[in-house]
Amino acid sequence: MNSTETPRNYLFALTDAGGTVPPEIGVARRLADRGHRVRVLAEASMEDQVLRAGAQFLSWHGGVTGELRDWGRQSPLSIARGTVDHMIAGPARNQARDTTQALCSVPAEQVVTSFFALGAMIAAEARQIPFDVLMPNVYALQAKGMPPMGTGMKPARGALGLLRDRLVGAATAHMIDRYALERINALRLDYELAPIATTWEQVRRARRQLILTSEAFDFPAELPDSARDVGPILDDPVWASDKPWTPPAGDAPLVLVAMSSTFQNQAACLQRVADALGTLPVRGLVTVGPAIAPEAIRAPANVSVMASAPHREVLSQARLVVTHGGHGTVIKALAAGLPLVILHHGRDQADNAVRVTERGAGAAVSRRASAATIAKAITAILGTPEYRQAAEQLGGVVAQDAANNTLLTELED
């Protein structure tokens, strides 16, 4: 924004999905830094981060999401139903009410929402206010050439591959519609809006779908005109960005272990990773995040366990990252030119893993793998220069996309 432009009023409607919070708050921060008036409807867990971003915090009243316990569900239908109840249709009515009240209190020229905040989208649409949807990961909706989200599939090849994508994509969308569509359409009716044919049509009604990743990281696909690859946001979480950190003693290769800012039943996996590092000539730094107590992990002599550390600083000294595969950790590791070992647990993590392995920038290992298997993967990555070279090549583009982020251009358009 230049000095001749009038600051705008933006209303953000955000949900706490763990790793999505830092990039989404980062979007609000960038607008506030440009002089815009930014209010953020969010959960109490995000209040400090919102305020430190220079925005006004507004609390959801009953429309909170809290912890998604998808790690305890086994079948795809159970996961779909739990996700709908917890993240999509369950909080939508309260989201719509709170968003409407916020817009009545202080009008906004634009609404910016999390991907799952469908209630906020409905409220904005009902008041004929443009809304943009943030996607702080790879493209999440069905598109020609894009493997279905959540499957960890490689890109389709030939007619049979495209048929695979259509069938699997339709099946996964149907599972969401089975539990969400009727409830979303009932809410739309209450706001005098016409029904939609699929749940994700609500997202497609956005003025912009803002994809907060590097186009080079995602697989190529035919995206809709409203979808924009605007580059990744590499901000650390507030709870980690200002923590003091001292590298483990010695000069052996430093391996960073980072496994989720939310609980995904990952303690046993973290312990096996720590045990694996204990058998290798490396220095290990395990950051457990706010979901697990550091003392829950038994640390070998060459491994330090901390609640958090400023990843930007750690990555500048590390040689390898071991992670669950969340988009934020993966994209920051690549931007630092570091290869990865990924033990994906669910959600979008298998999708991120396959994008790394297809580019030769790391390896995927089962989250149930033994310490010996994990140690073998770490040794292979550290001992094979091609992994580092591939990570540096891909990461160079990722870092450039982060530096040349077109996010503000799209939001201020």
Side-chain angles (χ1 to χ4, degrees):
M1 184 176 68
N2 61 49
S3 59
T4 63
E5 292 179 325
T6 303
R8 293 186 189 177
N9 288 300
Y10 289 86
L11 176 66
F12 280 64
L14 304 182
T15 58
D16 187 346
T20 64
V21 173
E24 292 187 348
I25 295 292
V27 176
R29 177 184 296 110
R30 284 157 174 76
L31 285 172
D33 287 347
R34 298 267 284 180
H36 296 295
R37 293 183 286 267
V38 180
R39 293 178 300 151
V40 180
L41 264 170
E43 298 168 42
S45 58
M46 300 165 64
E47 181 175 5
D48 180 56
Q49 298 177 75
V50 170
L51 295 176
R52 290 174 66 170
Q56 180 184 354
F57 174 77
L58 306 173
S59 178
W60 293 118
H61 296 95
V64 300
T65 55
E67 180 188 335
L68 174 62
R69 297 176 63 87
D70 53 341
W71 50 267
R73 299 175 181 270
Q74 300 299 319
S75 71
L77 277 176
S78 176
I79 293 172
R81 183 167 190 170
T83 302
V84 167
D85 289 344
H86 192 82
M87 300 286 291
I88 304 174
R93 186 167 294 277
N94 287 328
Q95 289 172 351
R97 179 202 61 209
D98 290 353
T99 303
T100 299
Q101 290 176 352
L103 292 170
C104 288
S105 173
V106 178
E109 288 86 12
Q110 198 164 329
V111 174
V112 183
T113 81
S114 295
F115 179 77
F116 287 120
L118 269 67
M121 301 176 206
I122 289 170
E125 184 180 346
R127 296 183 69 83
Q128 298 183 327
I129 298 173
F131 68 92
D132 292 347
V133 175
L134 302 175
M135 293 187 184
N137 40 36
V138 298
Y139 189 67
L141 299 180
Q142 197 168 1
K144 186 177 180 181
M146 187 71 69
M149 185 75 166
T151 64
M153 291 178 174
K154 297 179 181 180
R157 291 181 173 84
L160 286 179
L162 293 175
L163 178 62
R164 177 207 71 179
D165 285 354
R166 286 198 299 271
L167 293 177
V168 175
T172 56
H174 176 73
M175 284 192 291
I176 296 297
D177 287 342
R178 176 176 179 176
Y179 300 114
L181 185 58
E182 183 177 346
R183 295 153 74 183
I184 293 299
N185 272 332
L187 181 59
R188 287 181 59 82
L189 180 63
D190 289 346
Y191 280 78
E192 299 182 350
L193 296 172
I196 51 180
T198 70
T199 305
W200 298 135
E201 184 182 329
Q202 183 62 62
V203 178
R204 293 187 177 95
R205 287 174 173 254
R207 185 191 73 117
R208 296 278 192 274
Q209 301 169 44
L210 300 175
I211 313 166
L212 305 179
T213 194
S214 170
E215 186 175 3
F217 175 70
D218 208 351
F219 290 139
E222 296 180 16
L223 303 183
D225 291 340
S226 61
R228 300 285 194 277
D229 288 295
V230 296
I233 303 288
L234 303 180
D235 298 4
D236 279 339
V238 165
W239 47 263
S241 60
D242 57 358
K243 299 295 182 184
W245 173 71
T246 301
D251 56 5
L254 177 63
V255 176
L256 170 65
V257 181
M259 280 197 183
S260 190
S261 54
T262 59
F263 187 75
Q264 287 189 266
N265 203 28
Q266 71 266 43
C269 182
L270 274 170
Q271 185 61 63
R272 291 194 298 276
V273 174
D275 292 342
L277 293 173
T279 68
L280 300 175
V282 300
R283 294 174 296 153
L285 175 63
V286 177
T287 57
V288 296
I292 294 176
E295 56 269 22
I297 307 300
R298 300 182 307 276
N302 62 331
V303 176
S304 300
V305 180
M306 302 176 62
S308 62
H311 281 179
R312 188 184 302 274
E313 295 181 26
V314 179
L315 291 171
S316 68
Q317 301 185 41
R319 291 274 303 279
L320 172 69
V321 175
V322 180
T323 178
H324 64 302
H327 179 267
T329 302
V330 168
I331 210 74
K332 283 187 277 190
L334 289 172
L338 298 180
L340 300 108
V341 173
I342 300 177
L343 300 94
H344 51 82
H345 284 54
R347 303 177 187 173
D348 67 332
Q349 295 153 25
D351 303 311
N352 297 323
V354 73
R355 284 159 174 80
V356 169
T357 57
E358 281 291 281
R359 277 58 178 265
V365 179
S366 169
R367 64 187 176 94
R368 298 182 179 86
S370 66
T373 298
I374 297 169
K376 184 178 180 180
I378 292 172
T379 300
I381 299 294
L382 287 175
T384 308
E386 287 77 10
Y387 285 111
R388 179 68 180 247
Q389 292 163 6
E392 289 175 343
Q393 182 177 2
L394 175 58
V397 182
V398 170
Q400 185 176 38
D401 286 346
N404 298 332
N405 197 298
T406 58
L407 170 72
L408 293 173
T409 301
E410 296 293 346
L411 285 169
E412 293 176 340
D413 182 19

